Amino acid sequence: GDPDPVLRCIVSGFFANAAKFHSTGAYRTIRDDHELHIHPTSVLYAEKPPRWVVYNEVIQTAKYYMRDVTAVESAWLLELAPHFYQQGTVRNRHKGQTV
């Protein structure tokens, strides 16, 4: 089947925990621009990094690591959490792109 309905539900619950892959090889949170990394135990760790993710928790060791990470579509953030993300107000600080 189509995984999109389940992924959209995950975005509905974890919309505040969104991050975008950055050219530095790390992820940056959308709201506060914090640097995060995918935890080495994640199945996504060895994969090509998805452009957008949501995560359940962050743990701190030598770096800040996201756990329970899911690849998502950026458009879902605007669609499913318009009260949190408004088009044109959430920007990639380095390229001037909107969510």
Side-chain angles (χ1 to χ4, degrees):
D2 181 11
D4 284 3
V6 173
L7 295 172
R8 291 166 63 87
C9 285
I10 292 169
V11 170
S12 292
F14 294 97
F15 60 84
N17 295 349
K20 183 179 181 184
F21 189 69
H22 189 265
S23 61
T24 61
Y27 283 85
R28 306 296 300 190
T29 60
I30 301 307
R31 292 288 287 212
D32 300 323
D33 199 40
H34 293 290
E35 182 176 291
L36 299 174
H37 302 271
I38 293 178
H39 195 273
T41 60
S42 172
V43 296
L44 293 177
Y45 182 77
E47 303 290 323
K48 179 183 176 194
R51 185 166 181 177
W52 292 90
V53 296
V54 293
Y55 56 90
N56 178 40
E57 67 178 335
V58 173
I59 61 169
Q60 180 184 2
T61 58
K63 299 178 183 179
Y64 289 93
Y65 288 103
M66 299 176 285
R67 301 243 345 219
D68 305 320
V69 182
T70 303
V72 299
E73 299 291 330
S74 63
W76 295 342
L77 297 169
L78 290 171
E79 178 186 340
L80 300 171
H83 57 285
F84 196 79
Y85 296 107
Q86 294 177 2
Q87 189 165 11
T89 60
V90 179
R91 297 189 180 278
N92 176 322
R93 296 176 77 183
H94 303 285
K95 294 191 180 186
Q97 299 171 338
T98 58
V99 169

